Amino acid sequence: MSFLSRVKEKLWRNGQNRKQIFLRNTSLELLKYVIGDRHLWWIKLYFIIIFGSLIYVAVNLAVRVFVKWEDTPVIIGISSTMTPISKIPFPAITVCNMNQAKKSKVEDLIPGSLGYSMLQKTCYKENTYGNFTKSNHRYKNETFPNFILNVSERCEDLIVSCMFHKKKLPCTDIFREIFVDEGLCCVFNLLHPYYLYKFRPTYIRDYTSTNRFADIAVDWNPISGYPPKLPSSYYPRPGVGVGIAMGLQIILNGHVNDYFCSSTNGQGFKVLLYNPIDQPRMKESGLPAMIGHQTTFRIIARSFEALPSIRNIHRTKRQCIFSDEEELYFYRYYTRRNCESECDALFFLRLCDCIPYYLPLVFANATVCDAAQFDCWNNAELQIFDKKRSECKDLCLTSCHDLTFFPDAFTTPFSQQDLKAQSDYLKNLSNEYIRKNLAVVNFYFTENYFRSNVRTSYTGPTEYMSLTGGIMSLMIGFSVIFIAEILYVVVLFFILLFFNL
């Protein structure tokens, strides 16, 4: 017998011996019935069919677990701990008068003049812009933002009384003027421009920075919250307690006799509650506060958090963005609303080479749209779909850490009899004037605590191994020990063969 034949015979004999040892000791029981000469052929066939079916089912279930992991990598659960409202800011509140221009400021404007053209744009009226054949002594060389400042209701005239946390405060200490998509409005508890913007916005008149007795501006964001060390009085102001007394109450004066044009078909005010680091969208989300009524907004806070472990999941699959993952042009903090506002600004900049006064200046040297661009501005607003803007907004995913406020509103008309003097401002006014011009608006929390929504991984490597391991073990008795047994038998066989040859 040749040397090669002897080697083959020895390999076969050793292999058979190792196979028998393996089958007697393996943890995979079904193999004992399939391999070997101890059972009849039909018994082997039966167990081969069973074994193949179980492997098919086990692999199919394991693949489904993997597909679900891929399709739903993140789930949203409820936090096990309660968050006190003192740890979050009171919502930023923007208040707008529906009157877009004071009659006393614009009634003498001549059709065909620059000022009249700006007035038509302010009042959302159709007009042909571009040729200004006539001139007024007023608003002759004015920019459009300055024109709005001059003809709009100022905050010191609009908001006439303020109570916050049981304290009567000068309204000019807690409100500041801001441009939004419905003109000049007043905002409360918005993050200071120094912390919110990368460079100076188009217009924001910060009363709080000019009064040495006013609250001190501090930084805040949904991830890290307030700074560790805080002054005794600061803003964004946090929630303190529940009920009307612990909230904000403001009295608004609509000056109905000075109405010229409204942003709606009626008289009154619009209010908006939102995150202090967000861009307000008054047209889309503003809520009405009617003249001659007391409107109450009960505030329900909702926050979203995210575990750091989901950072490893791609943003398109987890469907959210961490603030430090996306750098915006104008805002220091990423939110979906801020991102979409910058997309709108880029859209107008691309079409008209200017940005409307209420949108963020995505570039420090960008031009604010003026009367010369009104036609382009109007045409751009009428454009229903723009591919580049849509693609830009598709990338604006929600923030992984976010804070939103849901107002539950109800309204009651003023009494037809004598009104209670809720403020010193009302004492010198007649009931008829109050019913025709004023509105009282309350904002307050209804709960001292709330639970956050937490984004977490649906399943990580550990959970995936547990699920697939459980399926394989249940179906065919497979375990990691079986892999070790195969390695042991194969490696040991070749080691022995090497030393015996």
Side-chain angles (χ1 to χ4, degrees):
M1 184 181 294
S2 65
F3 175 76
L4 184 60
S5 298
R6 289 199 305 272
V7 170
K8 287 182 178 180
E9 182 181 354
K10 196 169 184 178
L11 284 172
W12 173 257
R13 194 164 53 247
N14 287 340
Q16 290 297 315
N17 291 336
R18 304 315 302 173
K19 183 182 75 174
Q20 295 301 323
I21 294 172
F22 173 72
L23 291 176
R24 284 197 302 268
N25 297 283
T26 182
S27 59
L28 208 60
E29 295 292 330
L30 278 175
L31 289 180
K32 298 177 183 180
Y33 298 94
V34 175
I35 303 175
D37 302 325
R38 295 170 55 189
H39 301 288
L40 297 175
W41 67 269
W42 60 269
I43 296 176
K44 291 182 179 182
L45 179 62
Y46 169 76
F47 280 104
I48 286 173
I49 294 173
I50 296 296
F51 189 62
S53 300
L54 291 176
I55 287 179
Y56 172 79
V57 172
V59 171
N60 189 43
L61 290 175
V63 169
R64 288 186 181 183
V65 171
F66 179 78
V67 170
K68 192 169 185 179
W69 181 25
E70 284 287 297
D71 293 342
T72 316
V74 173
I75 58 173
I76 299 177
I78 304 297
S79 174
S80 59
T81 58
M82 303 284 282
T83 303
I85 59 173
S86 60
K87 296 295 184 182
I88 63 170
F90 203 82
I93 298 172
T94 295
V95 181
C96 299
N97 192 337
M98 291 182 186
N99 183 23
Q100 298 296 290
K102 298 174 71 173
K103 184 178 178 181
S104 58
K105 295 280 189 178
V106 299
E107 59 185 351
D108 62 342
L109 291 177
I110 303 172
S113 65
L114 175 61
Y116 187 81
S117 180
M118 290 181 176
L119 177 62
Q120 296 297 93
K121 178 62 178 174
T122 303
C123 293
Y124 312 109
K125 294 182 179 179
E126 294 183 2
N127 191 23
T128 302
Y129 309 105
N131 296 320
F132 312 114
T133 57
K134 300 179 182 179
S135 62
N136 280 91
H137 63 282
R138 239 193 292 176
Y139 317 122
K140 187 176 180 180
N141 299 311
E142 200 120 60
T143 62
F144 188 48
N146 284 336
F147 175 83
I148 294 175
L149 286 175
N150 287 324
V151 303
S152 299
E153 190 88 46
R154 305 306 288 259
C155 287
E156 57 261 41
D157 300 320
L158 173 64
I159 307 172
V160 295
S161 177
C162 298
M163 290 273 294
F164 188 62
H165 293 170
K166 296 183 178 181
K167 296 179 181 178
K168 182 172 175 58
L169 300 171
C171 297
T172 52
D173 281 359
I174 61 175
F175 279 89
R176 61 177 181 255
E177 291 172 342
I178 185 175
F179 278 139
V180 299
D181 51 5
E182 290 213 351
L184 185 68
C185 296
C186 310
V187 63
F188 165 82
N189 221 38
L190 186 70
L191 193 68
H192 191 278
Y194 175 80
Y195 299 110
L196 184 58
Y197 309 122
K198 291 183 177 178
F199 41 85
R200 185 177 177 83
T202 310
Y203 177 81
I204 187 159
R205 183 178 173 189
D206 185 17
Y207 290 111
T208 57
S209 63
T210 62
N211 190 330
R212 64 188 181 90
F213 298 107
D215 296 343
I216 298 173
V218 298
D219 197 7
W220 177 87
N221 65 80
I223 298 179
S224 56
Y226 285 106
K229 294 183 179 180
L230 292 167
S232 58
S233 182
Y234 58 91
Y235 78 95
R237 300 158 186 85
V240 174
V242 298
I244 291 179
M246 301 306 294
L248 173 69
Q249 182 187 80
I250 56 176
I251 299 177
L252 306 174
N253 192 332
H255 297 101
V256 173
N257 291 333
D258 210 13
Y259 255 64
F260 183 81
C261 61
S262 175
S263 60
T264 65
N265 291 323
Q267 299 171 342
F269 313 93
K270 279 188 178 182
V271 298
L272 181 63
L273 288 71
Y274 54 100
N275 189 325
I277 64 172
D278 261 344
Q279 166 76 14
R281 297 177 180 176
M282 186 60 71
K283 276 187 180 179
E284 297 175 6
S285 309
L287 300 171
M290 294 185 290
I291 290 175
H293 289 70
Q294 177 169 281
T295 306
T296 299
F297 294 95
R298 293 175 292 199
I299 303 167
I300 302 170
R302 292 285 183 271
S303 72
F304 283 89
E305 301 174 4
L307 297 182
S309 58
I310 72 169
R311 282 182 178 268
N312 298 326
I313 303 171
H314 194 271
R315 63 173 65 178
T316 56
K317 290 188 175 181
R318 66 174 184 245
Q319 285 295 296
C320 73
I321 296 176
F322 287 90
S323 290
D324 56 0
E325 289 180 326
E326 188 71 22
E327 188 80 11
L328 297 179
Y329 291 103
F330 182 68
Y331 296 99
R332 294 187 185 275
Y333 292 115
Y334 176 88
T335 70
R336 183 174 190 167
R337 278 77 62 184
N338 292 348
C339 178
E340 289 179 344
S341 295
E342 292 195 352
C343 290
D344 290 333
L346 291 170
F347 165 73
F348 283 103
L349 187 63
R350 175 165 50 85
L351 292 188
C352 302
D353 201 27
C354 67
I355 298 174
Y357 65 91
Y358 58 86
L359 288 176
L361 288 175
V362 289
F363 304 111
N365 59 349
T367 303
V368 177
C369 292
D370 217 332
Q373 291 90 21
F374 280 173
D375 285 326
C376 180
W377 183 351
N378 285 346
N379 292 333
E381 288 180 329
L382 293 173
Q383 192 164 330
I384 298 173
F385 176 77
D386 181 78
K387 183 178 179 181
K388 288 187 177 180
R389 179 163 65 168
S390 297
E391 290 174 349
C392 179
K393 290 189 175 183
D394 287 342
L395 299 177
C396 295
L397 302 176
T398 186
S399 298
C400 292
H401 293 79
D402 201 4
L403 177 65
T404 56
F405 299 97
F406 296 93
D408 178 19
F410 65 92
T411 301
T412 54
F414 288 159
S415 171
Q416 294 301 313
Q417 300 177 358
D418 290 341
L419 296 172
K420 287 186 177 181
Q422 303 176 37
S423 167
D424 293 338
Y425 180 82
L426 301 180
K427 290 180 179 179
N428 299 323
L429 301 175
S430 67
N431 288 343
E432 183 182 2
Y433 182 89
I434 292 173
R435 292 191 189 96
K436 288 185 177 181
N437 292 274
L438 302 189
V440 177
V441 190
N442 298 300
F443 307 89
Y444 63 89
F445 285 108
T446 57
E447 300 287 344
N448 277 311
Y449 295 87
F450 67 96
R451 290 188 185 275
S452 300
N453 297 296
V454 181
R455 289 183 173 90
T456 184
S457 300
Y458 170 72
T459 175
T462 303
E463 291 81 2
Y464 180 71
M465 288 183 64
S466 299
L467 289 170
T468 53
I471 291 170
M472 301 299 285
S473 178
L474 176 66
M475 294 296 172
I476 58 177
F478 178 84
S479 67
V480 178
I481 295 297
F482 176 70
I483 299 176
E485 289 173 348
I486 293 178
L487 291 175
Y488 169 75
V489 170
V490 173
V491 172
L492 184 63
F493 171 74
F494 282 105
I495 290 175
L496 293 174
L497 182 65
F498 176 79
F499 284 105
N500 289 335
L501 287 178

